[in-house]
Amino acid sequence: MRAVMILLPLLLAGCGSGGSDTPGAVTPGEAQALNDAAAMLDANSVDANAATIEVEGENEAQPQ
């Protein structure tokens, strides 16, 4: 019985994850690919304040 009391905690300690795998973790290659994709999207984006939409008749002076 004493052997079980000593071995049980040791066996349970071996059940834990030994790696550094955390949820959502990415490899260095995946991180670089994500950074490249973000840079590409930033380079192709348009400033929302720079875009104007002109509707026919809306920008003309209104009669009073």
Side-chain angles (χ1 to χ4, degrees):
M1 183 71 169
R2 184 170 184 200
V4 171
M5 297 296 283
I6 293 172
L7 291 178
L8 185 61
L10 294 175
L11 290 173
L12 291 176
C15 293
S17 175
S20 62
D21 295 335
T22 57
V26 296
T27 64
E30 290 170 333
Q32 183 62 42
L34 289 170
N35 287 337
D36 292 344
M40 182 184 66
L41 290 173
D42 288 342
N44 292 332
S45 67
V46 175
D47 183 14
N49 294 326
T52 58
I53 300 173
E54 293 188 26
V55 178
E56 187 176 329
E58 187 174 297
N59 295 334
E60 298 173 6
Q62 300 293 325
Q64 295 186 12

